[in-house]
């Protein structure tokens, strides 16, 4: 596998072409942003942890029947993934009120929902990733009705698998964001990453936040929180 030219650099990852036209390499960075890039910083060692955690979660999900872009970890920060075109929707599942949900609807954080919720944001930095519904996404041709149905089913399945798994680690899965990709033959698979950048994870006993909210809200012990999640996942 040869790493060829960089295709894209995002806020947290770089993506490279390879000598196999069906495979890309992602390279996780320590850069952290919040509020659509307004707040910038570095979380030392984050790239390594997010790479390991994402791969761990993708392998667990594959075993439970969820197709993902994961192929093989190459190094601490690099992973081979299937080439996809990303569906420009951020898919957010919530089990408990927090973040933008609590703010938008004027409710406290920590309300446990009777059933999980799903929402979409249009992945567009210039517009600040606005909330979007199914019909708007179809009108903008971001995805077909069938693709949206597939994405919803997969996202709720991911939630069931992840919620049960984090429970065994004494962690509450509050909410998370997923991105899906389309392979050349049109198959929808789970892509991007699953990490403390993209999930809210609370210690089950103390409620301590073990995710990127520590950075977003200047709570301190940011690196320690990422390390603690890695320790619970891998024992290291
Ligand atoms: P929110 O409450 O700010 O809408 O965030 C919901 C979840 O999505 C939370 O787990 C953090 C994650 N998220 C991202 O992964 N990327 C983003 O750009 C935002 C705003 C949230």
């Amino acid at each position: 596998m040869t790493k060829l030219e960089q295709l894209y650099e995002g806020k947290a990852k770089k993506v490279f072409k390879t000598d196999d036209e069906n495979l890309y390499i992602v390279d996780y960075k320590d850069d952290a942003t919040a509020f659509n890039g307004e707040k910038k910083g570095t979380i030392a060692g984050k790239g390594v942890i997010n790479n390991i955690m994402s791969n761990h979660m993708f392998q667990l999900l594959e075993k439970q029947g969820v197709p993902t872009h994961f192929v093989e970890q190459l190094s601490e920060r690099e992973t081979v993934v299937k080439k996809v075109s990303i569906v420009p929707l951020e898919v957010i599942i919530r089990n408990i009120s927090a973040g933008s949900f609590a703010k938008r609807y004027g409710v406290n954080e920590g309300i446990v929902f009777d059933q999980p919720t799903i929402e979409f944001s249009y992945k567009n930095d210039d517009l600040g990733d606005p909330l979007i519904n199914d019909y708007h996404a179809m009108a903008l041709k971001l995805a077909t009705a069938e693709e949206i149905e597939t994405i919803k089913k997969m996202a709720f399945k991911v939630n069931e698998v992840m919620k049960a798994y984090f429970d065994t680690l004494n962690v509450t899965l509050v909410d998370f964001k997923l991105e899906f990709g389309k392979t050349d033959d049109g198959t929808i698979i789970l892509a991007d990453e699953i990490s403390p950048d993209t999930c809210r994870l609370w210690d089950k006993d103390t409620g301590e936040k073990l995710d990127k909210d520590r950075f977003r809200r200047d709570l301190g012990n940011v690196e320690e929180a990422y390390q603690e999640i890695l320790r619970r996942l891998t024992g290291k």
Side-chain angles (χ1 to χ4, degrees), residues 5-232:
E5 77 265 24
Q6 185 177 305
L7 262 180
Y8 170 79
E9 177 162 4
K11 291 194 272 256
K13 296 186 289 299
K14 298 175 188 172
V15 182
F16 294 84
K17 280 192 170 178
T18 71
D19 54 354
D20 182 330
E21 62 169 3
N22 295 310
L23 300 177
Y24 287 161
I25 291 171
V26 293
D27 189 335
Y28 286 77
K29 309 192 290 183
D30 285 351
D31 298 349
T33 64
F35 315 118
N36 199 23
E38 263 176 58
K39 180 182 172 84
K40 287 194 176 68
T42 308
I43 301 172
K46 172 170 86 76
V48 173
I49 291 173
N50 286 7
N51 187 33
I52 295 170
M53 173 165 168
S54 290
N55 294 342
H56 188 88
M57 300 312 300
F58 286 141
Q59 288 173 89
L60 174 77
L61 288 162
E62 288 273 359
K63 274 193 209 138
Q64 301 292 326
V66 178
T68 79
H69 73 166
F70 175 78
V71 176
E72 174 194 14
Q73 188 167 320
L74 272 190
S75 71
E76 274 194 321
R77 289 175 186 274
E78 295 167 304
T79 292
V80 182
V81 298
K82 291 175 190 151
K83 181 185 87 174
V84 292
S85 58
I86 293 287
V87 178
L89 293 171
E90 300 200 340
V91 181
I92 295 154
I93 297 274
R94 300 179 192 270
N95 296 304
I96 297 179
S97 65
S100 69
F101 182 98
K103 192 168 176 198
R104 181 178 314 117
Y105 302 118
V107 297
N108 288 333
E109 296 199 314
I111 302 164
V112 180
F113 302 146
D114 290 341
Q115 50 189 37
T117 68
I118 191 164
E119 76 215 36
F120 300 114
S121 293
Y122 176 23
K123 230 176 112 61
N124 183 317
D125 281 340
D126 293 339
L127 300 176
D129 298 340
L131 195 65
I132 191 171
N133 73 24
D134 303 25
Y135 290 91
H136 295 171
M138 288 187 272
L140 293 170
K141 300 211 183 313
L142 306 182
T144 65
E146 199 188 354
E147 287 165 355
I148 291 172
E149 274 321 296
T150 302
I151 284 171
K152 283 185 184 169
K153 279 206 187 93
M154 284 172 67
F156 283 121
K157 168 87 190 210
V158 169
N159 186 44
E160 291 313 311
V161 173
M162 287 197 1
K163 218 168 46 163
Y165 179 63
F166 278 111
D167 203 58
T168 69
L169 307 179
N170 211 38
V171 170
T172 304
L173 178 63
V174 175
D175 58 32
F176 57 94
K177 184 264 298 179
L178 301 174
E179 294 183 25
F180 292 84
K182 233 164 56 163
T183 60
D184 281 348
D185 70 4
T187 308
I188 298 278
I189 64 177
L190 185 62
D192 193 52
E193 67 179 274
I194 298 177
S195 72
D197 277 17
T198 64
C199 301
R200 283 197 174 92
L201 304 167
W202 295 352
D203 180 87
K204 236 166 52 177
D205 296 330
T206 64
E208 190 189 357
K209 297 184 194 326
L210 299 171
D211 58 60
K212 194 178 168 188
D213 271 349
R214 302 206 73 83
F215 169 79
R216 295 189 189 98
R217 302 177 185 189
D218 295 318
L219 299 176
N221 295 327
V222 183
E223 280 85 2
E224 289 80 357
Y226 280 73
Q227 282 158 13
E228 176 59 19
I229 285 296
L230 181 68
R231 192 189 67 73
R232 293 198 198 184

